[in-house]
């Protein structure tokens, strides 16, 4: 599946909200006026699709354009798509339980591409096989290079919206 959306924002961007609970690196600056482009993907092992559709809609509601790569995305394909679309943010969603391990490997692959060294990447969903959030996983994923980790919890979607509202758009190449 390859979907490129261009819906209008349904309202003004929410004011930045600082959530002390979200495991998010604090080096994201405030944005400018250009519509931000967000690439939505999952990891190579993950066949679940509705999580990606759901996230696409959430992100479009916040006034971003979305490129949705669909399920089972090989790491190299994601790198190529980033070079092609030059997104302001990559959102990795995984629910099959392998998101943690696949996410660490994916980040190592992205890190090997110097052109993507400044690209913010976040991950969320059900990242382990236990179904719930884990205390150590977010820290490990942040150390690996993810800018934010949004494991399933009642608060995680709100925290993700706040993160997105604060995301700057990069200058056009
Ligand atoms: C439908 C489904 C399938 C379908 C998927 C079809 C398709 N085309 O999508 C099929 C049958 C293929 C399938 C297969 C498997 N599945 Co399945 N599947 C489901 C099911 C029933 C619904 C998923 C769904 O569509 N939800 C609707 C979407 C909108 O919600 P969501 O996926 O939960 O995503 C939300 C959040 O996770 C969050 N979120 C997700 N990503 C991100 C990212 C960010 C940044 C943020 C902020 C939030 C966020 O936001 C979303 C909206 O709230 C769930 C159980 C359930 N009731 O949730 C199991 C479930 C996800 N599957 C599960 C498993 C284990 C599997 C299999 C491994 C089973 C097997 N042994 O083969 C395989 C894996 C296949 C693979 N290679 O990935 C487990 C995962 C367990 C875990 N992680 O701990 C679940 C939870 C079932 C269970 N309770 O055990 N599955």
């Amino acid at each position: 599946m390859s979907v490129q959306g261009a819906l209008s924002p349904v309202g003004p961007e929410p004011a930045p909200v600082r959530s002390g609970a979200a495991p998010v690196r604090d080096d994201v600056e405030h944005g400018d006026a250009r519509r931000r482009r967000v690439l939505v993907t999952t990891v190579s092992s993950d066949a679940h699709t509705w999580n990606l559709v759901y996230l696409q809609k959430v992100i479009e509601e916040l006034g971003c354009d979305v490129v949705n790569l669909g399920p089972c995305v090989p790491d190299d394909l994601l790198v190529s798509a980033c070079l092609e679309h030059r997104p302001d943010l990559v959102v990795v969603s995984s629910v099959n339980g392998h998101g943690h391990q696949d996410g660490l490997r994916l980040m190592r692959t992205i890190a090997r591409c110097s052109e993507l060294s400044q690209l913010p990447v976040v991950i969320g969903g059900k990242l382990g096989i236990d179904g719930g959030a884990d205390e150590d996983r977010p820290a490990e994923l942040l150390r690996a290079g993810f800018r934010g980790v949004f494991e399933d919890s009642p608060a995680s979607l709100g925290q993700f919206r706040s993160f997105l509202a604060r995301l700057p758009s990069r200058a056009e190449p």
Side-chain angles (χ1 to χ4, degrees):
M1 179 172 71
S2 179
V3 184
Q4 187 153 12
L7 297 182
S8 300
V10 295
E13 278 189 357
V17 179
R18 299 300 308 219
S19 164
V24 169
R25 270 170 49 183
D26 198 16
D27 51 359
V28 180
E29 296 164 7
H30 288 265
D32 60 32
R34 183 174 75 75
R35 274 175 80 86
R36 291 154 303 167
R37 188 178 305 146
V38 178
L39 198 148
V40 172
T41 186
T42 185
V43 291
S44 58
S45 73
D46 202 326
H48 295 86
T49 307
W50 292 109
N51 47 318
L52 305 175
V53 174
Y54 185 96
L55 282 172
Q56 173 171 351
K57 294 300 169 197
V58 167
I59 295 165
E60 286 174 344
E61 279 184 2
L62 288 170
C64 305
D65 294 326
V66 172
V67 177
N68 186 340
L69 296 183
C72 294
V73 179
D75 298 357
D76 290 344
L77 178 67
L78 174 58
V79 168
S80 308
C82 290
L83 293 172
E84 179 186 350
H85 295 288
R86 295 288 168 181
D88 300 294
L89 174 70
V90 173
V91 178
V92 182
S93 163
S94 181
V95 296
N96 72 353
H98 302 291
H100 174 217
Q101 291 306 326
D102 284 357
L104 292 173
R105 188 201 60 238
L106 173 60
M107 189 48 84
R108 285 195 294 274
T109 305
I110 293 173
R112 283 199 288 272
C113 181
S114 58
E115 287 182 69
L116 302 180
S117 62
Q118 300 302 314
L119 175 64
V121 185
V122 300
I123 189 167
K126 304 176 201 346
L127 300 178
I129 54 171
D130 48 9
D134 174 276
E135 284 191 1
D136 300 329
R137 266 198 302 265
E140 192 180 357
L141 289 160
L142 291 175
R143 274 198 305 275
F146 285 98
R147 292 283 180 90
V149 181
F150 303 93
E151 285 212 84
D152 260 6
S153 78
S156 61
L157 210 53
Q159 291 165 347
F160 174 67
R161 286 175 196 268
S162 300
F163 176 92
L164 200 54
R166 291 188 292 119
L167 183 79
S169 61
R170 297 190 311 163
E172 290 285 6

